[in-house]
């Protein structure tokens, strides 16, 4: 790491001879592999983008020149080069460096992003701000990891191309998703076609051809087609040039002899430029090259083998989802799975192995996924949309407008609901209840364990309208599974434990901690009932009213923000029934802030939604209202 330790800022990098850049690239890869093997993180794409990152900081005057990373999970090499080496081993840890670009960390991080597709639009905003301020810095946007499947990217491209201002958009194509035409000739042509001689002749030819009366425009169009044919890049080149960009590439993004001269030439160009680079996911680490999907966002692993450091024999909620959906799809040929670029993470890849014609991955296009599902449902199918909670929020309008208004039978399986550990604020799934429960026709439920999840999936498939089930990241509780999934009665909760002092009404992942809290409270002489709400919408009105009429103290518990969540729904129901005057309610949930990154159990503790947090909430409620306790036990 002799060179890397000298890199305190990009200014140090620019003093380095170009021939030493490959040595520095190798050192950066070693450092990334060492840290990510211990902390977990996005490995494959970061190993592929090292040379491109070095080239950008080497040739551009960052942070004066702005680099916007889309998605920010490509920024590990960027962090190492911008003064964060000494903290890099804190990556994705509580109080440590974010796994994404983060403005609060460094002036070199121009824009925060954890969701793909935002880069081009943000860069266009930076471009407009530069023009309004009459500044002279460059704006560079690095797009990758499937962002070209996001509709927002094309909205940004359309606007940026129309502005015709200096902007460099770089596609880090590490899946060869647009073009496989990469090699010596293509790279040579790209360097040639961005050089000053060619670009000058190109612009002069345009002027001359346009001046020819009658046939000038036709000749110009023909010349453009001929130019693209010579480059061998008709399809992608024409697309981006029609959007107003000068298309360059593809070039080998892991070779400095291709990157540096091409970028040097592009710096001299005017207007928007689209540079297409091909990089290799997992470069420098064989396990990541063999399995780039797993190492896209990997848990901590043993460096020598690439195997995860920890494994669980208890199936995850995602695994139960896969098993159950396969079973339900076998029983019902109308069941269809849909996801947005997350077939592995959501478990739909396992379903696709059994039913390859009935699972669709639409790319990073959550809005399209939902309306696509609505179209299937309108034709009598039972689409199951499987998404992480944090990504489902991108499709709110389609859920409301295209699914719920028409009362179509679309099932939303919301994975990673609640806090999701090391990915931090951009990925916590703590807002879904609030934005879904106010929509008419929507049914919302959450299982207390993996056995109840399979019953809720059966409930959802049988339901004739929109319905959603949310479940957390990670392993289940290890409970026995019933042999057959069965449909639950919509809107019916259950009392799991009977007590006569306080009622703890818990939802989903917080039911088990509520039962543990009740045991702790019993040791202090406090008798608590524990209720598994199951449904957020509709609530079990009869059960909740019965509790409120018999019990003075109620504590609601959810792994979700308090505003608009499950506890708010309970308060609204009690207020509507005129029962709030005789009962005191304390809501336990996530406060009005974005939780940081850290281990899942630790974050639950920090948010006060763990066992200890529930105990404290009950104790504080009873201490605030030290009145005689009711004597009747809830039945």
């Amino acid at each position: 790491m002799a060179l890397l330790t000298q890199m305190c800022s990009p200014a140090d990098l620019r003093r380095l001879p170009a021939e030493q850049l490959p040595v520095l690239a190798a050192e950066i890869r070693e450092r990334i592999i060492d840290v990510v093997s211990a902390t977990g993180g996005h490995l494959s794409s970061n190993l592929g983008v090292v040379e491109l990152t070095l080239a950008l900081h080497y040739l551009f005057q960052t942070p004066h020149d702005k680099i916007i990373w889309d998605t920010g999970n490509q920024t590990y090499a960027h962090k190492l080069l911008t003064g964060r080496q000494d903290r890099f081993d804190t990556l994705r840890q509580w109080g440590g460096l974010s796994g994404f670009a983060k403005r609060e960390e460094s002036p070199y991080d121009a824009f925060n992003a954890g969701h793909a597709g935002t880069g081009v639009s943000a860069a266009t905003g930076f471009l407009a701000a530069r023009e309004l301020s009459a500044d002279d810095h460059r704006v560079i946007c690095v797009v990758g990891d499937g962002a070209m499947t996001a509709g927002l990217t094309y909205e940004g491209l359309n606007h940026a191309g129309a502005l015709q201002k200096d902007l460099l958009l770089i596609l880090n194509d590490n899946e060869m998703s647009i073009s496989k035409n990469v090699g010596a000739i293509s790279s040579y042509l790209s360097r040639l076609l961005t050089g000053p001689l060619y670009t000058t002749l190109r612009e002069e030819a345009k002027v001359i051809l346009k001046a020819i009366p009658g046939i000038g425009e036709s000749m110009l169009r023909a010349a453009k087609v001929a130019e693209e044919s010579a480059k061998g890049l008709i399809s992608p080149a024409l697309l981006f040039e029609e959007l107003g960009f000068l298309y360059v590439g593809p070039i080998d993004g892991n070779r400095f002899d291709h990157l540096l001269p091409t970028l040097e030439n592009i710096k001299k160009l005017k207007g928007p430029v689209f540079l297409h680079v091909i990089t290799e996911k997992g470069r420098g680490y064989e396990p990541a090259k063999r399995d780039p999907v797993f190492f896209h966002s990997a848990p901590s692993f043993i460096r020598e083998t690439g195997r995860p450091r920890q494994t669980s024999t208890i199936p995850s909620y995602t695994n139960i989802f896969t098993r159950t959906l396969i079973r339900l799809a076998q029983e019902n040929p109308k069941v269809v799975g849909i996801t947005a670029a997350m077939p592995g993470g959501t478990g739909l890849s396992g379903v696709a192995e059994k039913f390859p014609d009935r699972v669709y991955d639409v790319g990073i296009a959550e809005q399209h996924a939902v309306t696509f599902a609505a179209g299937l449902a309108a034709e009598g199918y039972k689409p199951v949309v499987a998404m992480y909670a944090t990504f489902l929020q991108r499709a709110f309008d389609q859920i409301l407008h295209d699914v719920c208004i028409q009362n179509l039978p679309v099932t939303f399986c919301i994975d990673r609901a609640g806090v999701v550990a090391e990915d931090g604020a951009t990925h916590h799934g703590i807002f879904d209840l609030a934005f879904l429960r106010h929509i008419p026709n929507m049914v919302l439920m959450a299982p207390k364990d993996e056995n109840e999840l399979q019953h809720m999936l059966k409930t959802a498939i049988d339901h004739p309208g929109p319905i959603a089930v949310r479940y957390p990241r990670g392993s289940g509780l290890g409970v026995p599974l019933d042999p057959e999934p069965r449909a639950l009665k919509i809107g019916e909760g259950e009392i799991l434990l009977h007590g006569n002092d306080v009622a703890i009404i818990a939802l989903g992942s917080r039911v088990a901690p509520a039962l543990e809290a009740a045991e702790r409270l019993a040791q202090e002489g406090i008798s608590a009932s524990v209720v598994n709400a199951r449904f957020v919408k509709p609530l079990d009105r009869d059960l909740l009213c019965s509790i409120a009429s018999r019990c003075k103290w109620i504590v609601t518990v959810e792994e979700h923000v308090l505003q608009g969540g499950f506890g708010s729904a309970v308060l609204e129901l009690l207020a509507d029934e005129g029962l709030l005057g005789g009962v005191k309610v304390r809501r336990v949930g996530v406060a009005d802030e974005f939780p940081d990154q850290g281990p899942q159990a630790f974050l639950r503790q920090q948010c006060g939604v763990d066992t200890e947090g529930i105990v404290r909430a009950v104790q504080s409620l009873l201490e605030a209202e030290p009145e005689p306790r009711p004597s009747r036990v809830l039945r």
Side-chain angles (χ1 to χ4, degrees):
M1 304 292 175
L3 286 179
L4 180 56
T5 55
Q6 300 174 33
M7 300 295 112
C8 297
S9 75
D12 298 318
L13 172 66
R14 294 174 199 126
R15 288 191 284 268
L16 203 65
E19 57 266 22
Q20 289 191 283
L21 292 178
V23 178
L24 179 56
E27 292 184 5
I28 288 174
R29 282 196 172 89
E30 288 299 305
R31 179 74 167 134
I32 291 173
I33 296 167
D34 279 342
V35 170
V36 176
S37 67
T39 67
H42 294 85
L43 186 65
S44 299
S45 56
N46 276 290
L47 293 179
V49 79
V50 172
E51 285 84 3
L52 177 59
T53 305
L54 280 165
L56 290 174
H57 282 295
Y58 193 69
L59 295 178
F60 292 93
Q61 297 299 310
T62 55
H64 176 70
D65 291 332
K66 311 294 184 184
I67 303 177
I68 292 93
W69 297 90
D70 176 353
T71 308
N73 59 15
Q74 306 176 74
T75 55
Y76 293 3
H78 164 80
K79 288 174 186 279
L80 285 169
L81 293 169
T82 53
R84 287 169 273 186
Q85 283 192 56
D86 59 338
R87 299 184 62 215
F88 194 63
D89 58 356
T90 70
L91 186 72
R92 304 174 79 244
Q93 306 303 298
W94 174 259
L97 294 180
S98 171
F100 301 88
K102 192 171 184 179
R103 298 174 66 208
E104 297 86 343
E105 271 185 19
S106 170
Y108 291 91
D109 292 3
F111 194 77
N112 296 7
H115 295 181
T118 64
V120 181
S121 294
T124 307
F126 275 77
L127 185 156
R130 181 193 68 196
E131 299 300 309
L132 291 169
S133 302
D135 288 334
D136 62 351
H137 58 269
R138 299 297 298 253
V139 177
I140 303 120
C141 177
V142 183
V143 173
D145 283 349
M148 296 307 294
T149 65
L152 180 60
T153 297
Y154 292 92
E155 294 175 28
L157 283 168
N158 183 55
H159 186 196
L163 291 177
Q164 285 297 297
K165 302 296 182 182
D166 294 350
L167 170 68
L168 173 56
L169 174 62
I170 301 174
L171 171 61
N172 172 27
D173 181 3
N174 50 31
E175 293 290 351
M176 305 183 79
S177 57
I178 291 181
S179 174
K180 295 184 180 182
N181 188 5
V182 61
I185 294 176
S186 177
S187 296
Y188 170 74
L189 284 174
S190 295
R191 295 194 297 276
L192 173 67
L193 297 175
T194 57
L197 175 62
Y198 178 84
T199 52
T200 299
L201 292 173
R202 187 175 189 268
E203 294 305 314
E204 289 179 355
K206 281 185 179 181
V207 174
I208 294 170
L209 289 173
K210 284 183 177 179
I212 300 175
I215 62 171
E217 288 294 337
S218 297
M219 291 180 69
L220 181 61
R221 286 193 294 271
K224 185 174 182 179
V225 171
E227 176 190 41
E228 301 304 335
S229 298
K231 291 159 69 177
L233 302 170
I234 290 178
S235 178
L238 287 180
L239 169 63
F240 296 112
E241 294 218 353
E242 286 301 318
L243 287 169
F245 285 77
L246 170 63
Y247 178 91
V248 178
I251 65 171
D252 190 331
N254 295 122
R255 290 186 58 170
F256 288 109
D257 59 336
H258 292 182
L259 282 169
L260 295 178
T262 302
L263 287 170
E264 283 281 19
N265 287 330
I266 286 173
K267 286 173 67 176
K268 304 182 183 82
L269 301 178
K270 295 295 183 182
V273 178
F274 187 102
L275 173 62
H276 184 176
V277 303
I278 304 293
T279 60
E280 181 184 29
K281 265 195 167 184
R283 187 178 184 86
Y285 184 58
E286 195 59 36
K289 288 173 63 175
R290 288 196 305 266
D291 193 354
V293 175
F294 174 78
F295 283 98
H296 168 73
S297 181
S300 61
F301 57 90
I302 300 169
R303 175 172 177 150
E304 291 73 20
T305 63
R307 294 176 181 172
R309 292 181 185 272
Q310 296 180 341
T311 57
S312 174
T313 58
I314 301 174
S316 68
Y317 283 91
T318 304
N319 183 267
I320 296 300
F321 160 79
T322 303
R323 293 187 203 175
T324 308
L325 191 60
I326 288 173
R327 187 169 188 164
L328 295 173
Q330 288 171 335
E331 298 171 357
N332 186 346
K334 294 292 188 180
V335 171
V336 175
I338 301 168
T339 190
M342 298 299 292
T346 60
L348 275 181
S349 57
V351 183
E353 291 176 4
K354 296 287 187 180
F355 304 101
D357 297 332
R358 290 162 60 188
V359 173
Y360 297 87
D361 178 4
V362 302
I364 301 176
E366 293 85 1
Q367 295 169 294
H368 166 64
V370 172
T371 303
F372 172 57
L376 277 164
E379 283 293 285
Y381 282 83
K382 301 289 291 190
V384 176
V385 178
M387 286 185 192
Y388 292 2
T390 185
F391 299 133
L392 184 65
Q393 63 201 29
R394 308 184 91 184
F396 169 76
D397 181 65
Q398 286 67 38
I399 296 169
L400 188 155
H401 183 272
D402 300 324
V403 174
C404 289
I405 285 180
Q406 300 182 83
N407 199 25
L408 293 171
V410 177
T411 294
F412 296 95
C413 291
I414 309 174
D415 203 332
R416 271 65 165 178
V419 294
V420 294
E422 289 82 4
D423 281 336
T426 57
H427 282 63
H428 292 311
I430 55 175
F431 305 102
D432 50 298
L433 297 180
F435 71 75
L436 289 175
R437 77 175 184 89
H438 71 281
I439 306 177
N441 293 328
M442 177 62 77
V443 172
L444 286 175
M445 51 188 174
K448 70 178 186 292
D449 55 37
E450 61 268 41
N451 185 47
E452 197 163 67
L453 173 59
Q454 64 168 347
H455 299 321
M456 287 188 173
L457 287 172
K458 171 65 173 173
T459 306
I461 296 300
D462 288 356
H463 184 64
I467 189 166
V469 53
R470 72 186 310 255
Y471 43 95
R473 176 184 183 180
S475 299
L477 303 181
V479 302
L481 298 178
D482 294 335
E484 295 280 343
R486 67 178 187 279
L488 304 174
K489 182 178 179 181
I490 297 290
E492 184 174 86
E494 61 175 348
I495 298 177
L496 300 176
L497 184 66
H498 297 278
N500 59 3
D501 291 335
V502 60
I504 304 173
I505 307 173
L507 180 72
S509 69
R510 299 302 86 198
V511 173
L515 287 167
E516 293 173 359
E519 293 179 9
R520 289 267 307 276
L521 292 166
Q523 297 171 9
E524 301 177 13
I526 300 173
S527 177
S529 293
V530 176
V531 176
N532 171 25
R534 282 188 179 145
F535 291 87
V536 180
K537 184 182 182 183
L539 291 169
D540 191 333
R541 176 189 172 279
D542 292 341
L543 177 60
L544 293 178
C545 289
S546 173
I547 291 171
S549 65
R550 300 183 185 193
C551 187
K552 183 174 178 57
W553 295 290
I554 291 177
V555 173
T556 65
V557 190
E558 61 193 299
E559 193 172 345
H560 185 274
V561 292
L562 290 170
Q563 286 82 353
F566 169 65
S568 294
V570 172
L571 283 175
E572 291 165 11
L573 183 146
L574 297 180
D576 290 344
E577 298 294 330
L579 295 170
L580 275 183
V583 65
K584 299 296 181 183
V585 180
R586 178 69 51 88
R587 294 177 301 147
V588 174
V590 180
D592 186 22
E593 59 189 21
F594 293 105
D596 209 337
Q597 64 199 27
Q600 193 175 31
F602 175 77
L603 290 177
R604 285 167 172 163
Q605 179 187 32
Q606 290 289 306
C607 293
V609 299
D610 64 342
T611 299
E612 184 61 35
I614 299 170
V615 170
R616 287 197 307 269
V618 172
Q619 290 171 336
S620 65
L621 181 60
L622 269 60
E623 289 168 2
E625 295 286 336
E627 298 181 13
R629 299 170 184 167
S631 59
R632 283 185 290 178
V633 177
L634 295 178
R635 296 295 181 190

